[in-house]
Amino acid sequence: MSPNLPTPPTPPISATSLTSPDETQPLREPAASQAVLDSLAGVGQAQYVHEISVLREWLDATLLNGFPLRRTEIESWQAHTPFASALITLTQPAVFVELGTHKGDSYCAICETVQKRALPTQCVAVDCWQGDEHSGGYDDTVLKELRAHHDPLYAHFSRLHQSFFDEAVAGFEDGSIDLLHIDGLHSEEAVLHDFETWKPKLSKRAVVLFHDTQVHENDFGVFKVWSALSKNHPHFEFTHGNGLGVLAVGPNVPQAIKRLCALAASPSTQADAQTLRNTYEALGSSVLYQGRAQRLWRQADELWARTQTAESALDHTKQDDRNLWNRVQKAETDLAHFKEAHQAAWARIAKAEEDLQVYQSAHQEAWDRIRQAEDELTSMRELNTQLQERHEKLLKIAKPVLGLARFIARLKNNSSNP
């Protein structure tokens, strides 16, 4: 079995000078930024981060109490989960909507932050869960597996809405969505259509996220839409993890978003903006690597289980092999006996054939003698017939003679007795 991977300790909950988007209520559970700075010392950023108040603000809002619970094999969005936790904490949207959820890595990361921060955010994931030309088609097992993870944890403030984007939009009031994440079909036409279709639903505080702004292949057109929209709205873009664009669409976006976008807008703060990008890329990389490590451990566990199963099957196979060998040995013994019996049978058959030949010869001789006897009997019958005929002729001749002899005898008898 694989060992449990260590989880960073949960920072204590405390109030700070950071305020909520309306600048009147304290934010919930900011993390201790010094812990983050210390963790970044290994990537050579700690000295510089101390001088960047915006970076400290965002790092304070980044969850440090563990890695996201849900990390599938689709990694591109996982590198943005540290930023997503800070974003949802600093903006505290009343309604968050994600268009295109697939296996739910990004959506569940945001839901996890809402739960851990106890934020008053209602979350909705909209997806047909049938796939498209970019993600590929898939069956309902993807949604079933996602529900199995999502519903027990987040169903009290979140729902997975299976629908096409154009059909689902009617279920939201105009001006109701504070945070919109567009991550559906990635062609230029589809992304622009999704933005324009859902734009009326955006509130005055609305922020829109575009994923894959750095992908320039396979008919991906997010970068074209991002290039056009970012010219007309304050924005900030992360270039790692296939790119993530943060677009400040509403006129009254939260102050943290204004300060974030100002980093990218001012030439004097470009280095600060790049430091922020590098920081979140480093944090995102740790999420990726830990996720990969967990998947490797799971694969190792599965491989070990399969090995145990294979060894058990091998033991059974060996036993079966022994049983089979015993049966073969028994069969060979039986075969030897059969051969002996077969040879004895052939010997008896040969003897029987010899006896049969003798019998057939005797039988033929007997038939010959019978035919000879029949011939002799026929000859005897013919001779008897001839004898009977002669006897009858003799009787015919003898009768008068016998009569005469009897007469003479009577005469002699009478003469001797006067």
Side-chain angles (χ1 to χ4, degrees), residues 320-355:
D320 292 342
D321 185 63
R322 287 190 291 269
N323 294 337
L324 181 60
W325 176 250
N326 292 334
R327 291 169 59 188
V328 169
Q329 294 292 93
K330 178 67 166 54
E332 289 181 347
T333 302
D334 293 343
L335 180 60
H337 292 309
F338 170 76
K339 286 181 178 179
E340 293 177 359
H342 184 262
Q343 290 175 351
W346 270 113
R348 290 195 299 273
I349 291 173
K351 180 64 169 58
E353 288 179 344
E354 293 177 358
D355 294 342

Side-chain angles (χ1 to χ4, degrees), residues 104-215:
D105 291 67
S106 57
Y107 186 76
C108 288
I110 290 177
C111 287
E112 184 178 349
T113 302
V114 170
Q115 181 190 54
K116 289 181 177 180
R117 299 288 197 185
L119 301 178
T121 302
Q122 294 297 308
C123 303
V124 182
V126 180
D127 200 316
C128 65
W129 277 287
Q130 298 175 3
D132 56 41
E133 61 188 76
H134 290 145
S135 65
Y138 47 84
D139 57 26
D140 59 356
T141 57
V142 172
L143 179 56
K144 289 180 180 178
E145 192 275 332
L146 175 57
R147 286 194 186 281
H149 171 82
H150 167 276
D151 290 356
L153 297 173
Y154 314 125
H156 57 290
F157 64 86
S158 169
R159 62 188 176 97
L160 305 177
H161 182 52
Q162 187 174 16
S163 172
F164 293 103
F165 299 164
D166 289 355
E167 297 173 355
V169 68
F172 296 84
E173 296 181 359
D174 289 351
S176 62
I177 300 175
D178 294 334
L179 179 61
L180 177 68
H181 176 210
I182 298 177
D183 199 14
L185 183 62
H186 287 66
S187 66
E188 179 182 4
E189 296 77 10
V191 175
L192 184 59
H193 173 79
D194 292 340
F195 177 76
E196 294 297 338
T197 301
W198 287 79
K199 188 176 180 180
K201 307 302 177 180
L202 300 178
S203 71
K204 294 181 179 180
R205 302 176 58 246
V207 176
V208 180
L209 302 179
F210 293 87
H211 189 226
D212 294 316
T213 57
Q214 289 293 312
V215 181

Side-chain angles (χ1 to χ4, degrees), residues 5 11 21 153 172 194 224 227 240 276 335 372 399 408 411:
L5 294 174
L153 297 173
F172 296 84
D194 292 340
K224 297 179 181 179
S227 177
H240 67 284
L276 185 63
L335 180 60
Q372 184 179 1
K399 278 183 180 182
I408 294 173
L411 288 179

